[in-house]
Structure formats: structure tokens, C-alpha cells
């Protein structure tokens, strides 16, 4: 009986990929905390996961497309999260136009890291169960 690995892993494989991309976005925000005019960004995780899972509802975001080879690429991450990459609304923007709140970014980064690790642990357990079933040990 064949095994559909995507069905076995569920949404966790997509969640792990999106959490990794969110880590990059949050790290980029922290790296540019002192850059004048830098606009903090974040990924809408729920919408990105729904899009990765194939759920395209009426409120699904529309990804930008280049219609000419001379257009500048807008893709900072994969197609799954490009449409879900949003600008963060600042609580107190700096006078130089920078919208990065270092403490909020660090808190989001820590929370995302914990969730990434939890998803990785769950996937590890699923693969361990699969190996146990294959080897019979």
C-alpha cells in the first residue's frame, strides 16, 4: 500500500518552510533597525499557510507579477509568502522614518523560533514513527 508522504506530514512541512522564511524577514528587520526610512515587514503566517495548502478564498492575497522583462523583481521570498509579506504598522515610528521596534521584533523572533522548533520536533517524531513502521523495530 503506497504512502502519500504529503498527507502523512500534513501542513507541518509547509509550516516549517514558512516559519523559516519568517525568520529571515524578522532578522532583516532587526539588521535594519538603525537604517533611516526602513519599513519593517512581517509575513501573515495564517494566510501564507492557507495559500501553501491550496486554499484560495475570496480574501486570498494577490501576488504581484512582472509583465515585462524590464520590470524589477518584487520577490523577496518564495511565491507562497510574497503576497503575504506585509508592512508592519509601527506603534511609535522614529523621526527618521524607520518603523522597526527592536523589542517587538526580538519578541516575534523568539516566538517564531519556539514555534519553528516545535514544528521541527513534531516532524522528527513523524519520521521516527515512519522509520519504526518500515524497519519493524
Amino acid at each position: 500500500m503506497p504512502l502519500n508522504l504529503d498527507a502523512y506530514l500534513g501542513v507541518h512541512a509547509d509550516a516549517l518552510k514558512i516559519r523559516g522564511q519568517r525568520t529571515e524577514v524578522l532578522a532583516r528587520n532587526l539588521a535594519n533597525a538603525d537604517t533611516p526610512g526602513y519599513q519593517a515587514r512581517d509575513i501573515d503566517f495564517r494566510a501564507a499557510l492557507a495559500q501553501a495548502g491550496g486554499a484560495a478564498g475570496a480574501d486570498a492575497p494577490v501576488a504581484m507579477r512582472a509583465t515585462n522583462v524590464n520590470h524589477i523583481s518584487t520577490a523577496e521570498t518564495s511565491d507562497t509568502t510574497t503576497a503575504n509579506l506585509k508592512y508592519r504598522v509601527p506603534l511609535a515610528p522614529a523621526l527618521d522614518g524607520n518603523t522597526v521596534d527592536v523589542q517587538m521584533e526580538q519578541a516575534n523572533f523568539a516566538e517564531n523560533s519556539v514555534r519553528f522548533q516545535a514544528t521541527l520536533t513534531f516532524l522528527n517524531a513523524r519520521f521516527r514513527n515512519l522509520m519504526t513502521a518500515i524497519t519493524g523495530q
Side-chain angles (χ1 to χ4, degrees), residues 16 19 112-122:
L16 190 66
R19 292 245 178 249
N112 191 61
S113 297
V114 168
R115 291 181 185 266
F116 181 90
Q117 187 63 40
T119 304
L120 193 59
T121 301
F122 182 81

Side-chain angles (χ1 to χ4, degrees), residues 9-22 43-57 60-61 78-85 115 119 123:
L9 297 178
V11 299
H12 300 289
D14 291 330
L16 190 66
K17 184 173 83 170
I18 295 168
R19 292 245 178 249
Q21 292 167 345
R22 186 169 185 236
I43 291 177
D44 183 357
F45 181 79
R46 182 173 293 171
L49 191 59
Q51 185 179 359
S78 74
D79 291 339
T80 303
T81 57
T82 300
N84 301 308
L85 191 59
R115 291 181 185 266
T119 304
L123 283 173

Side-chain angles (χ1 to χ4, degrees), residues 24-100:
E24 292 176 14
V25 171
L26 294 173
R28 191 177 308 127
N29 288 346
L30 285 169
N32 288 295
D34 294 328
T35 304
Y38 182 81
Q39 302 291 309
R41 300 186 83 180
D42 200 358
I43 291 177
D44 183 357
F45 181 79
R46 182 173 293 171
L49 191 59
Q51 185 179 359
D59 60 347
V62 177
M64 294 179 63
R65 271 189 329 204
T67 56
N68 187 318
V69 295
N70 295 328
H71 288 170
I72 297 173
S73 173
T74 60
E76 291 184 27
T77 59
S78 74
D79 291 339
T80 303
T81 57
T82 300
N84 301 308
L85 191 59
K86 310 287 186 201
Y87 287 100
R88 189 181 303 277
V89 178
L91 297 175
L95 294 175
D96 63 0
N98 188 308
T99 62
V100 176

